[in-house]
mmCIF file with all atom_site columns, all heavy atoms in Angstrom:
data_model
loop_
_atom_site.group_PDB
_atom_site.id
_atom_site.type_symbol
_atom_site.label_atom_id
_atom_site.label_alt_id
_atom_site.label_comp_id
_atom_site.label_asym_id
_atom_site.label_entity_id
_atom_site.label_seq_id
_atom_site.pdbx_PDB_ins_code
_atom_site.Cartn_x
_atom_site.Cartn_y
_atom_site.Cartn_z
_atom_site.occupancy
_atom_site.B_iso_or_equiv
_atom_site.pdbx_formal_charge
_atom_site.auth_seq_id
_atom_site.auth_comp_id
_atom_site.auth_asym_id
_atom_site.auth_atom_id
_atom_site.pdbx_PDB_model_num
ATOM 1   N N   . ARG A 1 1  ? 0.834  -1.212  0.000   1.00 0.00 ? 1  ARG A N   1
ATOM 2   C CA  . ARG A 1 1  ? 0.000  0.000   0.000   1.00 0.00 ? 1  ARG A CA  1
ATOM 3   C C   . ARG A 1 1  ? 0.865  1.258   0.000   1.00 0.00 ? 1  ARG A C   1
ATOM 4   O O   . ARG A 1 1  ? 0.523  2.258   -0.647  1.00 0.00 ? 1  ARG A O   1
ATOM 5   C CB  . ARG A 1 1  ? -0.944 -0.002  1.208   1.00 0.00 ? 1  ARG A CB  1
ATOM 6   C CG  . ARG A 1 1  ? -2.069 -1.019  1.087   1.00 0.00 ? 1  ARG A CG  1
ATOM 7   C CD  . ARG A 1 1  ? -3.172 -0.774  2.096   1.00 0.00 ? 1  ARG A CD  1
ATOM 8   N NE  . ARG A 1 1  ? -2.752 -0.952  3.474   1.00 0.00 ? 1  ARG A NE  1
ATOM 9   C CZ  . ARG A 1 1  ? -2.679 -2.139  4.085   1.00 0.00 ? 1  ARG A CZ  1
ATOM 10  N NH1 . ARG A 1 1  ? -2.994 -3.248  3.427   1.00 0.00 ? 1  ARG A NH1 1
ATOM 11  N NH2 . ARG A 1 1  ? -2.299 -2.219  5.349   1.00 0.00 ? 1  ARG A NH2 1
ATOM 12  N N   . ALA A 1 2  ? 1.983  1.213   0.719   1.00 0.00 ? 2  ALA A N   1
ATOM 13  C CA  . ALA A 1 2  ? 2.909  2.348   0.714   1.00 0.00 ? 2  ALA A CA  1
ATOM 14  C C   . ALA A 1 2  ? 3.463  2.570   -0.692  1.00 0.00 ? 2  ALA A C   1
ATOM 15  O O   . ALA A 1 2  ? 3.555  3.716   -1.164  1.00 0.00 ? 2  ALA A O   1
ATOM 16  C CB  . ALA A 1 2  ? 4.047  2.112   1.699   1.00 0.00 ? 2  ALA A CB  1
ATOM 17  N N   . ALA A 1 3  ? 3.814  1.476   -1.380  1.00 0.00 ? 3  ALA A N   1
ATOM 18  C CA  . ALA A 1 3  ? 4.334  1.572   -2.750  1.00 0.00 ? 3  ALA A CA  1
ATOM 19  C C   . ALA A 1 3  ? 3.301  2.199   -3.681  1.00 0.00 ? 3  ALA A C   1
ATOM 20  O O   . ALA A 1 3  ? 3.627  3.046   -4.523  1.00 0.00 ? 3  ALA A O   1
ATOM 21  C CB  . ALA A 1 3  ? 4.744  0.194   -3.255  1.00 0.00 ? 3  ALA A CB  1
ATOM 22  N N   . GLN A 1 4  ? 2.029  1.800   -3.534  1.00 0.00 ? 4  GLN A N   1
ATOM 23  C CA  . GLN A 1 4  ? 0.964  2.359   -4.369  1.00 0.00 ? 4  GLN A CA  1
ATOM 24  C C   . GLN A 1 4  ? 0.784  3.853   -4.106  1.00 0.00 ? 4  GLN A C   1
ATOM 25  O O   . GLN A 1 4  ? 0.609  4.643   -5.036  1.00 0.00 ? 4  GLN A O   1
ATOM 26  C CB  . GLN A 1 4  ? -0.348 1.606   -4.113  1.00 0.00 ? 4  GLN A CB  1
ATOM 27  C CG  . GLN A 1 4  ? -0.349 0.190   -4.654  1.00 0.00 ? 4  GLN A CG  1
ATOM 28  C CD  . GLN A 1 4  ? -1.465 -0.671  -4.054  1.00 0.00 ? 4  GLN A CD  1
ATOM 29  O OE1 . GLN A 1 4  ? -2.257 -0.214  -3.238  1.00 0.00 ? 4  GLN A OE1 1
ATOM 30  N NE2 . GLN A 1 4  ? -1.509 -1.937  -4.465  1.00 0.00 ? 4  GLN A NE2 1
ATOM 31  N N   . ALA A 1 5  ? 0.837  4.229   -2.826  1.00 0.00 ? 5  ALA A N   1
ATOM 32  C CA  . ALA A 1 5  ? 0.693  5.645   -2.471  1.00 0.00 ? 5  ALA A CA  1
ATOM 33  C C   . ALA A 1 5  ? 1.862  6.465   -3.015  1.00 0.00 ? 5  ALA A C   1
ATOM 34  O O   . ALA A 1 5  ? 1.667  7.586   -3.517  1.00 0.00 ? 5  ALA A O   1
ATOM 35  C CB  . ALA A 1 5  ? 0.610  5.791   -0.953  1.00 0.00 ? 5  ALA A CB  1
ATOM 36  N N   . LEU A 1 6  ? 3.066  5.910   -2.951  1.00 0.00 ? 6  LEU A N   1
ATOM 37  C CA  . LEU A 1 6  ? 4.235  6.612   -3.477  1.00 0.00 ? 6  LEU A CA  1
ATOM 38  C C   . LEU A 1 6  ? 4.150  6.751   -4.995  1.00 0.00 ? 6  LEU A C   1
ATOM 39  O O   . LEU A 1 6  ? 4.505  7.793   -5.555  1.00 0.00 ? 6  LEU A O   1
ATOM 40  C CB  . LEU A 1 6  ? 5.523  5.883   -3.088  1.00 0.00 ? 6  LEU A CB  1
ATOM 41  C CG  . LEU A 1 6  ? 5.897  5.898   -1.601  1.00 0.00 ? 6  LEU A CG  1
ATOM 42  C CD1 . LEU A 1 6  ? 7.213  5.175   -1.383  1.00 0.00 ? 6  LEU A CD1 1
ATOM 43  C CD2 . LEU A 1 6  ? 5.964  7.313   -1.066  1.00 0.00 ? 6  LEU A CD2 1
ATOM 44  N N   . HIS A 1 7  ? 3.657  5.713   -5.657  1.00 0.00 ? 7  HIS A N   1
ATOM 45  C CA  . HIS A 1 7  ? 3.534  5.761   -7.120  1.00 0.00 ? 7  HIS A CA  1
ATOM 46  C C   . HIS A 1 7  ? 2.560  6.856   -7.543  1.00 0.00 ? 7  HIS A C   1
ATOM 47  O O   . HIS A 1 7  ? 2.772  7.534   -8.552  1.00 0.00 ? 7  HIS A O   1
ATOM 48  C CB  . HIS A 1 7  ? 3.080  4.408   -7.669  1.00 0.00 ? 7  HIS A CB  1
ATOM 49  C CG  . HIS A 1 7  ? 2.954  4.409   -9.170  1.00 0.00 ? 7  HIS A CG  1
ATOM 50  N ND1 . HIS A 1 7  ? 4.041  4.527   -10.007 1.00 0.00 ? 7  HIS A ND1 1
ATOM 51  C CD2 . HIS A 1 7  ? 1.848  4.343   -9.970  1.00 0.00 ? 7  HIS A CD2 1
ATOM 52  C CE1 . HIS A 1 7  ? 3.619  4.530   -11.262 1.00 0.00 ? 7  HIS A CE1 1
ATOM 53  N NE2 . HIS A 1 7  ? 2.299  4.417   -11.268 1.00 0.00 ? 7  HIS A NE2 1
ATOM 54  N N   . ALA A 1 8  ? 1.486  7.024   -6.755  1.00 0.00 ? 8  ALA A N   1
ATOM 55  C CA  . ALA A 1 8  ? 0.503  8.063   -7.080  1.00 0.00 ? 8  ALA A CA  1
ATOM 56  C C   . ALA A 1 8  ? 1.113  9.458   -6.951  1.00 0.00 ? 8  ALA A C   1
ATOM 57  O O   . ALA A 1 8  ? 0.797  10.362  -7.733  1.00 0.00 ? 8  ALA A O   1
ATOM 58  C CB  . ALA A 1 8  ? -0.711 7.927   -6.164  1.00 0.00 ? 8  ALA A CB  1
ATOM 59  N N   . LYS A 1 9  ? 1.988  9.622   -5.966  1.00 0.00 ? 9  LYS A N   1
ATOM 60  C CA  . LYS A 1 9  ? 2.575  10.945  -5.713  1.00 0.00 ? 9  LYS A CA  1
ATOM 61  C C   . LYS A 1 9  ? 3.868  11.175  -6.494  1.00 0.00 ? 9  LYS A C   1
ATOM 62  O O   . LYS A 1 9  ? 4.164  12.305  -6.890  1.00 0.00 ? 9  LYS A O   1
ATOM 63  C CB  . LYS A 1 9  ? 2.846  11.083  -4.208  1.00 0.00 ? 9  LYS A CB  1
ATOM 64  C CG  . LYS A 1 9  ? 3.154  12.511  -3.783  1.00 0.00 ? 9  LYS A CG  1
ATOM 65  C CD  . LYS A 1 9  ? 3.133  12.650  -2.264  1.00 0.00 ? 9  LYS A CD  1
ATOM 66  C CE  . LYS A 1 9  ? 3.384  14.096  -1.857  1.00 0.00 ? 9  LYS A CE  1
ATOM 67  N NZ  . LYS A 1 9  ? 3.420  14.256  -0.391  1.00 0.00 ? 9  LYS A NZ  1
ATOM 68  N N   . TYR A 1 10 ? 4.631  10.106  -6.679  1.00 0.00 ? 10 TYR A N   1
ATOM 69  C CA  . TYR A 1 10 ? 5.924  10.194  -7.390  1.00 0.00 ? 10 TYR A CA  1
ATOM 70  C C   . TYR A 1 10 ? 5.939  9.142   -8.503  1.00 0.00 ? 10 TYR A C   1
ATOM 71  O O   . TYR A 1 10 ? 6.578  8.095   -8.360  1.00 0.00 ? 10 TYR A O   1
ATOM 72  C CB  . TYR A 1 10 ? 7.090  9.965   -6.422  1.00 0.00 ? 10 TYR A CB  1
ATOM 73  C CG  . TYR A 1 10 ? 7.106  10.900  -5.240  1.00 0.00 ? 10 TYR A CG  1
ATOM 74  C CD1 . TYR A 1 10 ? 6.577  10.511  -4.007  1.00 0.00 ? 10 TYR A CD1 1
ATOM 75  C CD2 . TYR A 1 10 ? 7.647  12.182  -5.347  1.00 0.00 ? 10 TYR A CD2 1
ATOM 76  C CE1 . TYR A 1 10 ? 6.589  11.376  -2.913  1.00 0.00 ? 10 TYR A CE1 1
ATOM 77  C CE2 . TYR A 1 10 ? 7.668  13.051  -4.260  1.00 0.00 ? 10 TYR A CE2 1
ATOM 78  C CZ  . TYR A 1 10 ? 7.133  12.643  -3.054  1.00 0.00 ? 10 TYR A CZ  1
ATOM 79  O OH  . TYR A 1 10 ? 7.145  13.492  -1.976  1.00 0.00 ? 10 TYR A OH  1
ATOM 80  N N   . PRO A 1 11 ? 5.231  9.393   -9.601  1.00 0.00 ? 11 PRO A N   1
ATOM 81  C CA  . PRO A 1 11 ? 5.056  8.358   -10.626 1.00 0.00 ? 11 PRO A CA  1
ATOM 82  C C   . PRO A 1 11 ? 6.350  7.871   -11.268 1.00 0.00 ? 11 PRO A C   1
ATOM 83  O O   . PRO A 1 11 ? 6.396  6.761   -11.796 1.00 0.00 ? 11 PRO A O   1
ATOM 84  C CB  . PRO A 1 11 ? 4.140  9.028   -11.658 1.00 0.00 ? 11 PRO A CB  1
ATOM 85  C CG  . PRO A 1 11 ? 4.173  10.488  -11.352 1.00 0.00 ? 11 PRO A CG  1
ATOM 86  C CD  . PRO A 1 11 ? 4.467  10.616  -9.906  1.00 0.00 ? 11 PRO A CD  1
ATOM 87  N N   . GLU A 1 12 ? 7.410  8.683   -11.209 1.00 0.00 ? 12 GLU A N   1
ATOM 88  C CA  . GLU A 1 12 ? 8.679  8.276   -11.814 1.00 0.00 ? 12 GLU A CA  1
ATOM 89  C C   . GLU A 1 12 ? 9.629  7.612   -10.819 1.00 0.00 ? 12 GLU A C   1
ATOM 90  O O   . GLU A 1 12 ? 10.727 7.189   -11.192 1.00 0.00 ? 12 GLU A O   1
ATOM 91  C CB  . GLU A 1 12 ? 9.373  9.492   -12.452 1.00 0.00 ? 12 GLU A CB  1
ATOM 92  C CG  . GLU A 1 12 ? 8.556  10.202  -13.520 1.00 0.00 ? 12 GLU A CG  1
ATOM 93  C CD  . GLU A 1 12 ? 8.182  9.284   -14.672 1.00 0.00 ? 12 GLU A CD  1
ATOM 94  O OE1 . GLU A 1 12 ? 9.064  8.533   -15.140 1.00 0.00 ? 12 GLU A OE1 1
ATOM 95  O OE2 . GLU A 1 12 ? 7.003  9.307   -15.092 1.00 0.00 ? 12 GLU A OE2 1
ATOM 96  N N   . LEU A 1 13 ? 9.226  7.529   -9.554  1.00 0.00 ? 13 LEU A N   1
ATOM 97  C CA  . LEU A 1 13 ? 10.076 6.897   -8.541  1.00 0.00 ? 13 LEU A CA  1
ATOM 98  C C   . LEU A 1 13 ? 10.054 5.382   -8.723  1.00 0.00 ? 13 LEU A C   1
ATOM 99  O O   . LEU A 1 13 ? 8.985  4.774   -8.760  1.00 0.00 ? 13 LEU A O   1
ATOM 100 C CB  . LEU A 1 13 ? 9.585  7.259   -7.136  1.00 0.00 ? 13 LEU A CB  1
ATOM 101 C CG  . LEU A 1 13 ? 10.359 6.626   -5.962  1.00 0.00 ? 13 LEU A CG  1
ATOM 102 C CD1 . LEU A 1 13 ? 11.788 7.139   -5.900  1.00 0.00 ? 13 LEU A CD1 1
ATOM 103 C CD2 . LEU A 1 13 ? 9.641  6.906   -4.638  1.00 0.00 ? 13 LEU A CD2 1
ATOM 104 N N   . ALA A 1 14 ? 11.225 4.795   -8.826  1.00 0.00 ? 14 ALA A N   1
ATOM 105 C CA  . ALA A 1 14 ? 11.312 3.343   -9.047  1.00 0.00 ? 14 ALA A CA  1
ATOM 106 C C   . ALA A 1 14 ? 11.284 2.611   -7.713  1.00 0.00 ? 14 ALA A C   1
ATOM 107 O O   . ALA A 1 14 ? 12.273 2.593   -6.987  1.00 0.00 ? 14 ALA A O   1
ATOM 108 C CB  . ALA A 1 14 ? 12.601 3.013   -9.800  1.00 0.00 ? 14 ALA A CB  1
ATOM 109 N N   . VAL A 1 15 ? 10.122 2.031   -7.394  1.00 0.00 ? 15 VAL A N   1
ATOM 110 C CA  . VAL A 1 15 ? 10.044 1.138   -6.232  1.00 0.00 ? 15 VAL A CA  1
ATOM 111 C C   . VAL A 1 15 ? 10.318 -0.265  -6.755  1.00 0.00 ? 15 VAL A C   1
ATOM 112 O O   . VAL A 1 15 ? 9.492  -0.864  -7.449  1.00 0.00 ? 15 VAL A O   1
ATOM 113 C CB  . VAL A 1 15 ? 8.665  1.215   -5.542  1.00 0.00 ? 15 VAL A CB  1
ATOM 114 C CG1 . VAL A 1 15 ? 8.611  0.234   -4.377  1.00 0.00 ? 15 VAL A CG1 1
ATOM 115 C CG2 . VAL A 1 15 ? 8.400  2.630   -5.041  1.00 0.00 ? 15 VAL A CG2 1
ATOM 116 N N   . CYS A 1 16 ? 11.498 -0.789  -6.455  1.00 0.00 ? 16 CYS A N   1
ATOM 117 C CA  . CYS A 1 16 ? 11.969 -2.021  -7.103  1.00 0.00 ? 16 CYS A CA  1
ATOM 118 C C   . CYS A 1 16 ? 11.652 -3.272  -6.295  1.00 0.00 ? 16 CYS A C   1
ATOM 119 O O   . CYS A 1 16 ? 12.002 -4.385  -6.702  1.00 0.00 ? 16 CYS A O   1
ATOM 120 C CB  . CYS A 1 16 ? 13.465 -1.934  -7.378  1.00 0.00 ? 16 CYS A CB  1
ATOM 121 S SG  . CYS A 1 16 ? 14.467 -1.742  -5.902  1.00 0.00 ? 16 CYS A SG  1
ATOM 122 N N   . GLY A 1 17 ? 10.985 -3.115  -5.141  1.00 0.00 ? 17 GLY A N   1
ATOM 123 C CA  . GLY A 1 17 ? 10.616 -4.300  -4.369  1.00 0.00 ? 17 GLY A CA  1
ATOM 124 C C   . GLY A 1 17 ? 9.956  -3.929  -3.060  1.00 0.00 ? 17 GLY A C   1
ATOM 125 O O   . GLY A 1 17 ? 10.139 -2.823  -2.544  1.00 0.00 ? 17 GLY A O   1
ATOM 126 N N   . VAL A 1 18 ? 9.156  -4.863  -2.549  1.00 0.00 ? 18 VAL A N   1
ATOM 127 C CA  . VAL A 1 18 ? 8.526  -4.705  -1.237  1.00 0.00 ? 18 VAL A CA  1
ATOM 128 C C   . VAL A 1 18 ? 8.571  -6.044  -0.514  1.00 0.00 ? 18 VAL A C   1
ATOM 129 O O   . VAL A 1 18 ? 8.571  -7.104  -1.151  1.00 0.00 ? 18 VAL A O   1
ATOM 130 C CB  . VAL A 1 18 ? 7.058  -4.218  -1.335  1.00 0.00 ? 18 VAL A CB  1
ATOM 131 C CG1 . VAL A 1 18 ? 6.965  -2.859  -2.006  1.00 0.00 ? 18 VAL A CG1 1
ATOM 132 C CG2 . VAL A 1 18 ? 6.184  -5.226  -2.060  1.00 0.00 ? 18 VAL A CG2 1
ATOM 133 N N   . ALA A 1 19 ? 8.616  -5.995  0.813   1.00 0.00 ? 19 ALA A N   1
ATOM 134 C CA  . ALA A 1 19 ? 8.551  -7.220  1.629   1.00 0.00 ? 19 ALA A CA  1
ATOM 135 C C   . ALA A 1 19 ? 8.080  -6.830  3.017   1.00 0.00 ? 19 ALA A C   1
ATOM 136 O O   . ALA A 1 19 ? 8.480  -5.792  3.547   1.00 0.00 ? 19 ALA A O   1
ATOM 137 C CB  . ALA A 1 19 ? 9.916  -7.902  1.704   1.00 0.00 ? 19 ALA A CB  1
ATOM 138 N N   . ASP A 1 20 ? 7.209  -7.659  3.594   1.00 0.00 ? 20 ASP A N   1
ATOM 139 C CA  . ASP A 1 20 ? 6.722  -7.341  4.939   1.00 0.00 ? 20 ASP A CA  1
ATOM 140 C C   . ASP A 1 20 ? 7.763  -7.720  5.990   1.00 0.00 ? 20 ASP A C   1
ATOM 141 O O   . ASP A 1 20 ? 8.788  -8.329  5.694   1.00 0.00 ? 20 ASP A O   1
ATOM 142 C CB  . ASP A 1 20 ? 5.371  -8.014  5.207   1.00 0.00 ? 20 ASP A CB  1
ATOM 143 C CG  . ASP A 1 20 ? 5.463  -9.529  5.236   1.00 0.00 ? 20 ASP A CG  1
ATOM 144 O OD1 . ASP A 1 20 ? 6.214  -10.070 6.079   1.00 0.00 ? 20 ASP A OD1 1
ATOM 145 O OD2 . ASP A 1 20 ? 4.768  -10.185 4.435   1.00 0.00 ? 20 ASP A OD2 1
ATOM 146 N N   . GLY A 1 21 ? 7.477  -7.345  7.231   1.00 0.00 ? 21 GLY A N   1
ATOM 147 C CA  . GLY A 1 21 ? 8.440  -7.551  8.304   1.00 0.00 ? 21 GLY A CA  1
ATOM 148 C C   . GLY A 1 21 ? 8.249  -8.839  9.076   1.00 0.00 ? 21 GLY A C   1
ATOM 149 O O   . GLY A 1 21 ? 8.856  -9.017  10.133  1.00 0.00 ? 21 GLY A O   1
ATOM 150 N N   . TYR A 1 22 ? 7.407  -9.742  8.544   1.00 0.00 ? 22 TYR A N   1
ATOM 151 C CA  . TYR A 1 22 ? 7.131  -11.007 9.229   1.00 0.00 ? 22 TYR A CA  1
ATOM 152 C C   . TYR A 1 22 ? 7.825  -12.129 8.458   1.00 0.00 ? 22 TYR A C   1
ATOM 153 O O   . TYR A 1 22 ? 7.375  -12.518 7.382   1.00 0.00 ? 22 TYR A O   1
ATOM 154 C CB  . TYR A 1 22 ? 5.618  -11.242 9.316   1.00 0.00 ? 22 TYR A CB  1
ATOM 155 C CG  . TYR A 1 22 ? 4.944  -10.289 10.270  1.00 0.00 ? 22 TYR A CG  1
ATOM 156 C CD1 . TYR A 1 22 ? 4.775  -8.939  9.938   1.00 0.00 ? 22 TYR A CD1 1
ATOM 157 C CD2 . TYR A 1 22 ? 4.514  -10.706 11.523  1.00 0.00 ? 22 TYR A CD2 1
ATOM 158 C CE1 . TYR A 1 22 ? 4.181  -8.044  10.821  1.00 0.00 ? 22 TYR A CE1 1
ATOM 159 C CE2 . TYR A 1 22 ? 3.908  -9.824  12.417  1.00 0.00 ? 22 TYR A CE2 1
ATOM 160 C CZ  . TYR A 1 22 ? 3.751  -8.497  12.054  1.00 0.00 ? 22 TYR A CZ  1
ATOM 161 O OH  . TYR A 1 22 ? 3.166  -7.634  12.938  1.00 0.00 ? 22 TYR A OH  1
ATOM 162 N N   . PHE A 1 23 ? 8.921  -12.622 9.002   1.00 0.00 ? 23 PHE A N   1
ATOM 163 C CA  . PHE A 1 23 ? 9.704  -13.629 8.271   1.00 0.00 ? 23 PHE A CA  1
ATOM 164 C C   . PHE A 1 23 ? 10.460 -14.510 9.255   1.00 0.00 ? 23 PHE A C   1
ATOM 165 O O   . PHE A 1 23 ? 10.836 -14.082 10.340  1.00 0.00 ? 23 PHE A O   1
ATOM 166 C CB  . PHE A 1 23 ? 10.694 -12.952 7.311   1.00 0.00 ? 23 PHE A CB  1
ATOM 167 C CG  . PHE A 1 23 ? 11.610 -11.947 7.962   1.00 0.00 ? 23 PHE A CG  1
ATOM 168 C CD1 . PHE A 1 23 ? 12.854 -12.323 8.439   1.00 0.00 ? 23 PHE A CD1 1
ATOM 169 C CD2 . PHE A 1 23 ? 11.221 -10.618 8.094   1.00 0.00 ? 23 PHE A CD2 1
ATOM 170 C CE1 . PHE A 1 23 ? 13.700 -11.406 9.037   1.00 0.00 ? 23 PHE A CE1 1
ATOM 171 C CE2 . PHE A 1 23 ? 12.068 -9.684  8.705   1.00 0.00 ? 23 PHE A CE2 1
ATOM 172 C CZ  . PHE A 1 23 ? 13.305 -10.083 9.161   1.00 0.00 ? 23 PHE A CZ  1
ATOM 173 N N   . ASP A 1 24 ? 10.661 -15.749 8.840   1.00 0.00 ? 24 ASP A N   1
ATOM 174 C CA  . ASP A 1 24 ? 11.488 -16.691 9.597   1.00 0.00 ? 24 ASP A CA  1
ATOM 175 C C   . ASP A 1 24 ? 12.858 -16.839 8.969   1.00 0.00 ? 24 ASP A C   1
ATOM 176 O O   . ASP A 1 24 ? 13.841 -17.116 9.640   1.00 0.00 ? 24 ASP A O   1
ATOM 177 C CB  . ASP A 1 24 ? 10.805 -18.074 9.654   1.00 0.00 ? 24 ASP A CB  1
ATOM 178 C CG  . ASP A 1 24 ? 9.497  -18.025 10.432  1.00 0.00 ? 24 ASP A CG  1
ATOM 179 O OD1 . ASP A 1 24 ? 9.452  -17.360 11.476  1.00 0.00 ? 24 ASP A OD1 1
ATOM 180 O OD2 . ASP A 1 24 ? 8.516  -18.643 9.972   1.00 0.00 ? 24 ASP A OD2 1
ATOM 181 N N   . ASP A 1 25 ? 12.914 -16.662 7.646   1.00 0.00 ? 25 ASP A N   1
ATOM 182 C CA  . ASP A 1 25 ? 14.149 -16.882 6.897   1.00 0.00 ? 25 ASP A CA  1
ATOM 183 C C   . ASP A 1 25 ? 14.782 -15.532 6.552   1.00 0.00 ? 25 ASP A C   1
ATOM 184 O O   . ASP A 1 25 ? 14.455 -14.929 5.531   1.00 0.00 ? 25 ASP A O   1
ATOM 185 C CB  . ASP A 1 25 ? 13.843 -17.688 5.632   1.00 0.00 ? 25 ASP A CB  1
ATOM 186 C CG  . ASP A 1 25 ? 15.099 -18.149 4.903   1.00 0.00 ? 25 ASP A CG  1
ATOM 187 O OD1 . ASP A 1 25 ? 16.184 -17.596 5.184   1.00 0.00 ? 25 ASP A OD1 1
ATOM 188 O OD2 . ASP A 1 25 ? 14.996 -19.046 4.055   1.00 0.00 ? 25 ASP A OD2 1
ATOM 189 N N   . GLU A 1 26 ? 15.670 -15.069 7.416   1.00 0.00 ? 26 GLU A N   1
ATOM 190 C CA  . GLU A 1 26 ? 16.297 -13.756 7.208   1.00 0.00 ? 26 GLU A CA  1
ATOM 191 C C   . GLU A 1 26 ? 17.126 -13.728 5.939   1.00 0.00 ? 26 GLU A C   1
ATOM 192 O O   . GLU A 1 26 ? 17.145 -12.727 5.213   1.00 0.00 ? 26 GLU A O   1
ATOM 193 C CB  . GLU A 1 26 ? 17.163 -13.407 8.424   1.00 0.00 ? 26 GLU A CB  1
ATOM 194 C CG  . GLU A 1 26 ? 17.648 -11.981 8.436   1.00 0.00 ? 26 GLU A CG  1
ATOM 195 C CD  . GLU A 1 26 ? 18.148 -11.544 9.807   1.00 0.00 ? 26 GLU A CD  1
ATOM 196 O OE1 . GLU A 1 26 ? 17.410 -11.695 10.805  1.00 0.00 ? 26 GLU A OE1 1
ATOM 197 O OE2 . GLU A 1 26 ? 19.277 -11.040 9.865   1.00 0.00 ? 26 GLU A OE2 1
ATOM 198 N N   . ALA A 1 27 ? 17.790 -14.840 5.639   1.00 0.00 ? 27 ALA A N   1
ATOM 199 C CA  . ALA A 1 27 ? 18.644 -14.900 4.451   1.00 0.00 ? 27 ALA A CA  1
ATOM 200 C C   . ALA A 1 27 ? 17.846 -14.656 3.170   1.00 0.00 ? 27 ALA A C   1
ATOM 201 O O   . ALA A 1 27 ? 18.342 -14.030 2.225   1.00 0.00 ? 27 ALA A O   1
ATOM 202 C CB  . ALA A 1 27 ? 19.357 -16.246 4.380   1.00 0.00 ? 27 ALA A CB  1
ATOM 203 N N   . ARG A 1 28 ? 16.606 -15.134 3.148   1.00 0.00 ? 28 ARG A N   1
ATOM 204 C CA  . ARG A 1 28 ? 15.762 -14.915 1.958   1.00 0.00 ? 28 ARG A CA  1
ATOM 205 C C   . ARG A 1 28 ? 15.421 -13.444 1.783   1.00 0.00 ? 28 ARG A C   1
ATOM 206 O O   . ARG A 1 28 ? 15.378 -12.931 0.666   1.00 0.00 ? 28 ARG A O   1
ATOM 207 C CB  . ARG A 1 28 ? 14.471 -15.735 2.055   1.00 0.00 ? 28 ARG A CB  1
ATOM 208 C CG  . ARG A 1 28 ? 14.660 -17.202 1.693   1.00 0.00 ? 28 ARG A CG  1
ATOM 209 C CD  . ARG A 1 28 ? 13.340 -17.922 1.575   1.00 0.00 ? 28 ARG A CD  1
ATOM 210 N NE  . ARG A 1 28 ? 12.551 -17.433 0.444   1.00 0.00 ? 28 ARG A NE  1
ATOM 211 C CZ  . ARG A 1 28 ? 11.318 -17.848 0.159   1.00 0.00 ? 28 ARG A CZ  1
ATOM 212 N NH1 . ARG A 1 28 ? 10.728 -18.738 0.932   1.00 0.00 ? 28 ARG A NH1 1
ATOM 213 N NH2 . ARG A 1 28 ? 10.665 -17.376 -0.878  1.00 0.00 ? 28 ARG A NH2 1
ATOM 214 N N   . ARG A 1 29 ? 15.171 -12.751 2.897   1.00 0.00 ? 29 ARG A N   1
ATOM 215 C CA  . ARG A 1 29 ? 14.895 -11.318 2.818   1.00 0.00 ? 29 ARG A CA  1
ATOM 216 C C   . ARG A 1 29 ? 16.133 -10.564 2.318   1.00 0.00 ? 29 ARG A C   1
ATOM 217 O O   . ARG A 1 29 ? 16.028 -9.674  1.473   1.00 0.00 ? 29 ARG A O   1
ATOM 218 C CB  . ARG A 1 29 ? 14.480 -10.783 4.196   1.00 0.00 ? 29 ARG A CB  1
ATOM 219 C CG  . ARG A 1 29 ? 13.048 -11.106 4.602   1.00 0.00 ? 29 ARG A CG  1
ATOM 220 C CD  . ARG A 1 29 ? 12.039 -10.347 3.741   1.00 0.00 ? 29 ARG A CD  1
ATOM 221 N NE  . ARG A 1 29 ? 10.694 -10.412 4.271   1.00 0.00 ? 29 ARG A NE  1
ATOM 222 C CZ  . ARG A 1 29 ? 9.803  -11.345 3.958   1.00 0.00 ? 29 ARG A CZ  1
ATOM 223 N NH1 . ARG A 1 29 ? 10.124 -12.310 3.114   1.00 0.00 ? 29 ARG A NH1 1
ATOM 224 N NH2 . ARG A 1 29 ? 8.582  -11.311 4.474   1.00 0.00 ? 29 ARG A NH2 1
#
């Protein structure tokens, strides 16, 4: 949702990935 809001305000800003903060495998993040 943050990425979508940023895209609306900064359409040329490259958001190249998102990930939530709930994870067991730190290496994958």
Side-chain angles (χ1 to χ4, degrees):
R1 288 194 295 278
Q4 290 163 1
L6 291 182
H7 181 68
K9 193 168 182 182
Y10 304 97
E12 302 301 315
L13 178 66
V15 178
C16 61
V18 299
D20 65 60
Y22 290 73
F23 55 92
D24 295 319
D25 189 343
E26 191 163 307
R28 281 190 67 184
R29 283 291 192 269

